[in-house]
């Protein structure tokens, strides 16, 4: 299982988590099958260092756009500015959608991202592929 992202979308997410640190940042990923076509940067309504709650208005706007463009919600991303590099217990308990959860965490050198599939409290790693081409 994998999730494919274009470099520009990858950079967009990375910049978003960076600018919001030390608070958690979040957003949605829309696309078809395993290819991300659009990244939505959503405000973290919780304004917290350890949890996120997507701004309901921003989320609704994204859902409408996704429906209008006949895409699917295929991922959710958020950051762990102070770690861990994996999903937290809260993430597992609050996983509301069957989509790939992308977690950005800050290491001493840079941000790293990992993908996870969470279902029935089971966590499986999903490979994240970044492509430079417009059409992978
Ligand atoms: Zn988390």
């Amino acid at each position: 299982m994998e999730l494919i992202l274009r470099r520009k979308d990858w950079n967009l997410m990375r910049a978003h988590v960076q600018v919001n640190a030390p608070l958690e940042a979040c957003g949605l990923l829309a696309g078809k099958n395993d290819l991300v076509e659009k990244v939505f940067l959503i405000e973290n309504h919780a304004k917290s260092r350890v949890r996120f709650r997507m701004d309901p208005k921003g989320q609704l706007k994204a859902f409408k756009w996704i429906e209008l463009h006949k895409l699917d919600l295929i991922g959710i991303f958020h950051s762990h500015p102070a770690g861990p590099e994996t999903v937290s217990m809260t993430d597992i308990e609050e996983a509301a959608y069957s989509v790939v959860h992308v977690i950005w965490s800050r290491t001493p050198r840079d941000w790293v991202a990992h993908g996870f599939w969470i279902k029935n409290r089971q966590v499986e790693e999903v490979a994240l592929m970044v492509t430079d081409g417009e059409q992978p």
Side-chain angles (χ1 to χ4, degrees):
M1 195 172 183
E2 62 179 26
L3 190 70
I4 306 165
L5 291 127
R6 297 196 174 105
R7 179 76 57 190
K8 64 175 168 64
D9 290 333
W10 180 265
N11 290 342
L12 192 65
M13 272 197 287
R14 193 189 165 285
H16 180 63
V17 300
Q18 169 69 29
V19 79
N20 280 284
L23 300 181
E24 283 200 14
C26 54
L28 299 170
L29 307 174
K32 276 286 169 200
N33 303 315
D34 52 6
L35 174 66
V36 175
E37 301 270 10
K38 173 90 173 165
V39 171
F40 296 91
L41 309 176
I42 313 259
E43 191 189 321
N44 179 4
H45 214 61
K47 302 215 183 305
S48 160
R49 290 167 183 246
V50 290
R51 60 189 303 126
F52 75 98
R53 209 175 70 240
M54 289 200 201
D55 172 59
K57 276 186 196 152
Q59 201 173 357
L60 188 65
K61 223 173 123 183
F63 284 156
K64 282 185 175 163
W65 193 99
I66 293 168
E67 202 187 325
L68 187 70
H69 291 81
K70 299 187 166 37
L71 294 175
D72 300 314
L73 177 70
I74 60 172
I76 292 177
F77 75 92
H78 73 278
S79 62
H80 288 168
E85 262 188 61
T86 183
V87 285
S88 65
M89 278 313 293
T90 311
D91 295 333
I92 295 171
E93 277 157 17
E94 295 183 355
Y97 301 99
S98 295
V99 298
V100 178
H101 292 255
V102 175
I103 310 282
W104 286 84
S105 53
R106 192 160 49 174
T107 70
R109 292 168 60 97
D110 198 1
W111 288 89
V112 291
H114 295 284
F116 303 93
W117 186 261
I118 306 170
K119 195 166 188 189
N120 301 327
R121 304 177 67 87
Q122 300 289 311
V123 179
E124 227 180 284
E125 184 139 16
V126 176
L128 301 180
M129 317 283 280
V130 182
T131 172
D132 286 307
E134 279 302 302
Q135 294 293 333

